[in-house]
Amino acid sequence: MSLKNPYKTGGMFEGVTPFIFENAKHLRKNMTAAEMNLWLHLRKGVNGCKFRRQHPIGIYIADFYCHKVKLIVEVDGSIHNKPDIKEADKIRQAELERWGYCVMRFTNKEVMEKPEDVLELVREKINSLIKEL
């Protein structure tokens, strides 16, 4: 276990406010069907990597997050097809990537219809990120 304070610079909760923690808790209790479907697979871990659900990162909340390799997995519903939401997602993802995170995005349809394909892509990404450590 790391002795690093998770709330300090570089910690997994750096920049997170009490409001973000409360919102994340609400989101964990109200997951979409696609998020729940993916969580049933990710909760066991993937390639020895543990995932957290609705995890606060700065001012954002990641649907799923693996701290070991700094991987964020997002599950997008149809609202993410709206131009303003699409633009906000693009800005959010760019900022998270500047902070050193890797972001993968999947649609609800992909998660619900082909969860094994989604999991295989996550496994492959984790393997490549582990090699970079």
Side-chain angles (χ1 to χ4, degrees):
M1 181 165 201
S2 173
L3 297 176
K4 188 177 215 176
N5 186 329
Y7 300 95
K8 301 281 183 182
T9 302
M12 81 165 64
F13 297 124
E14 176 183 1
V16 178
T17 64
F19 173 77
I20 297 290
F21 279 116
E22 197 59 39
N23 196 21
K25 184 178 179 179
H26 171 76
L27 290 171
R28 279 191 296 276
K29 290 181 180 181
N30 296 286
M31 293 174 71
T32 67
E35 289 170 342
M36 186 57 76
N37 188 38
L38 187 55
W39 178 240
L40 292 174
H41 299 283
L42 294 179
R43 67 192 274 181
K44 301 170 194 155
V46 177
N47 295 0
C49 292
K50 179 182 175 183
F51 276 85
R52 298 167 182 270
R53 61 189 169 127
Q54 305 303 333
H55 181 78
I57 299 173
I59 61 171
Y60 303 114
I61 299 172
D63 288 340
F64 303 100
Y65 174 62
C66 176
H67 187 65
K68 182 176 180 177
V69 293
K70 294 184 85 172
L71 175 63
I72 295 168
V73 177
E74 293 291 320
V75 180
D76 295 339
S78 60
I79 193 165
H80 292 269
N81 293 327
K82 289 185 168 190
D84 56 330
I85 303 293
K86 219 176 229 194
E87 184 61 27
D89 285 344
K90 185 178 174 182
I91 292 167
R92 176 182 188 263
Q93 183 166 335
E95 187 161 22
L96 288 164
E97 288 171 349
R98 272 194 307 278
W99 294 347
Y101 297 93
C102 177
V103 180
M104 298 181 79
R105 302 190 89 82
F106 299 100
T107 65
N108 281 355
K109 184 176 180 179
E110 289 172 309
V111 171
M112 296 304 283
E113 293 181 4
K114 300 212 177 205
E116 63 284 343
D117 293 349
V118 170
L119 287 169
E120 183 56 30
L121 290 169
V122 171
R123 273 189 210 97
E124 289 171 7
K125 179 54 78 175
I126 286 173
N127 285 339
S128 72
L129 292 170
I130 287 173
K131 289 177 185 174
E132 293 174 15
L133 292 179

